[in-house]
Every structure is written in structure tokens, then in C-alpha cells.
Amino acid sequence: MSPFILKVFSVAMAAATVPMGLTAIGRNGHREPHPAAMTVTLVPGPITYPLPGEFLRNGRPQANLRLRRQFHEPIEIMTYQVSVSDYADCVSAGGCQPAQETRAIPSNAPVTGVSYLDANAYAQWYSEVTGDDWRLPSDEEWAFAAAERFAGEFEGVENDASNPARRWLTSYKAEVDLNRKPDPLPRSRGSFGVNSQGLADFSGNVWEWTSTCYVRTTLAADGSVASSVDNCGVHVLEGLHRAYMSNFVSDGKSGGCAVGTPPDNLGFRLVRDHSGWASRILGGLGIV
């Protein structure tokens, strides 16, 4: 058997024994799955939710359009947000910039102080290490995964054409009704419980980056979409409410175009697509 075939076979067998991602040496000396790789696979189904972005008609803000979408493929998403220790692995390997977080946070708490650019860098590094394609979820995928914990835009926000300030006033009231208390310090994973999908910590005190760009949409007189412009220098974050931040921002309180008070913390979790090198090798060998 040639050295090349032996190398491919050894890589394939290693990947086969670690289908969920990285491994670490546990206290008992055995290899254990890297905790960041714990995932839940969501069964395809429909979702009706408010589209992200800004909607205008005659130059005045309008309520976000609500659309029904159908997912036709399963979605495999991380059970927990990427943790401090997970992200530190990427930093140590030279794949990520250090998080802009100076507080003492448990190593198994979600990493915070990370921008959209940082989250994408981690996804790229993690994909290279595990052999699968990891990426940020779209806003739509995040909403589907969050299920009953998805908030999106504030409900009941009024749009008074003669008084645009009315929208901001009712947005503030909607947030007060959420009974949100100051809770800035990230907690150990699992502290905010599990939703009906078996996924942890949705809409806790860490907002999560998505791959969805900010969109400015102009509506026609009949309510249909007349035009839209994507601004991919700004991306959507989801949490207790939807927020919009520039790609380089790592601290939600430093500024952004969020409705309501700024996000306490910025973090992320990833979706896995099975199209990486490990899956291709194993598929070619008939293992998967």
C-alpha cells in the first residue's frame, strides 16, 4: 500500500472516530469529544417570522414584513454557544484574534467580546480542523432553532405616519414589558436553560451573530416590496430582541443600530454542513 493511501486511510479513520469535531484528552487519559461540537439536528419544517432590516413607505418606518418559509433540509446547530475555552483554542492556533473581553468569565461560559469578523474567523479555523463546513446560521435558521425563545422585532410597535417618534416610544415600552434586568456577565453554559428543540441559552444575556446582512427595504403603496438594498457591512444579531451591528463591533454597548437598549454581550454558535474534506473522504470509502 502506498504512503499516500496509508495517509488518506489514517485521516479517514481518525475522522470516523471523531464525527463531532475536535477531541481533547480527559482526566482518564481517553480522548473525549470537544464540547463545542455538541449539536442538535432540527427536523425540517415551516416558520413564520418578521424579516430583519428596516422597512420604509413614503420615507417613514413601517412594521417588518412577516413571511412564512419552509425548511426542506435538516439543520445541525451547536447545542451551546462557542465557549471561552473553545475560542482560546483558535487563538492559540493563530486562527483567531483574542476576544475583546477583560472581565473574569468562566472558561465554559460563552465567549464574548467578539465581532462578526471574529466569529467568521473561528468558523473557518474550526472547519479546517474538523474537516466539516461550519458557518454562522442565517437569521432565519437562528429563529427556527430558537423556537419559542425567538423574539425578533418588538411586537405591538406602533407606526404613526404623523409621528415617527411613536415607533421608538412603543419600542421602549415593549422592552420594559420584557422585564429585562441588567445581567451583563456571561454565565456558564446551560444557565439559561434549554428550549423545546433541546438547544441551550437562546435569548439569555448573550446576543448571537448571524450571517444575515442588514437590509433597507422600500415598500410600495400597496405594501409590496418596491426595492431593497443590502448592507453587508452590518449584520443581524439575535437575542432578547433583534439588533444590528457593524461587522467589526465586539461590544454591543459601544454602538450599533439596535432597537431598544444595546445587547449585553456579543457571541455566536455555528451550523454544520456536511460537505467538508472528512465527509468527502469517508463517503468515497463508503464509511458514511
Side-chain angles (χ1 to χ4, degrees), residues 37-71:
M38 295 175 62
T39 62
V40 170
T41 300
L42 308 178
V43 176
I47 181 175
T48 300
Y49 86 125
L51 297 177
E54 181 181 16
F55 291 81
L56 302 171
R57 182 160 55 188
N58 296 324
R60 299 187 181 279
Q62 303 294 306
N64 293 54
L65 295 181
R66 296 183 65 88
L67 291 183
R68 179 181 173 87
R69 301 285 180 84
Q70 174 71 40
F71 288 101

Side-chain angles (χ1 to χ4, degrees), residues 153-273:
E153 309 292 339
F154 289 125
E155 299 292 341
V157 174
E158 298 178 22
N159 290 284
D160 186 343
S162 63
N163 183 12
R166 185 68 182 166
R167 175 178 174 84
W168 293 98
L169 291 173
T170 56
S171 293
Y172 176 78
K173 181 180 183 302
E175 182 163 12
V176 170
D177 291 342
L178 287 175
N179 196 30
R180 176 183 172 190
K181 298 179 176 60
D183 186 23
L185 193 66
R187 306 181 195 176
S188 297
R189 53 174 49 171
S191 295
F192 291 93
V194 176
N195 71 357
S196 59
Q197 304 269 40
L199 296 163
D201 300 329
F202 275 100
S203 299
N205 67 358
V206 176
W207 272 246
E208 300 180 30
W209 287 104
T210 75
S211 63
T212 299
C213 300
Y214 179 79
V215 181
R216 183 184 179 96
T217 301
T218 300
L219 302 176
D222 62 359
S224 62
V225 175
S227 64
S228 63
V229 178
D230 291 3
N231 177 2
C232 288
V234 174
H235 276 79
V236 181
L237 289 125
E238 290 290 358
L240 275 174
H241 61 71
R242 187 177 275 155
Y244 308 98
M245 295 282 169
S246 297
N247 294 350
F248 58 84
V249 171
S250 57
D251 180 359
K253 297 178 286 296
S254 68
C257 43
V259 176
T261 57
D264 293 319
N265 304 286
L266 308 185
F268 64 99
R269 75 182 76 205
L270 301 176
V271 167
R272 179 165 72 164
D273 291 330

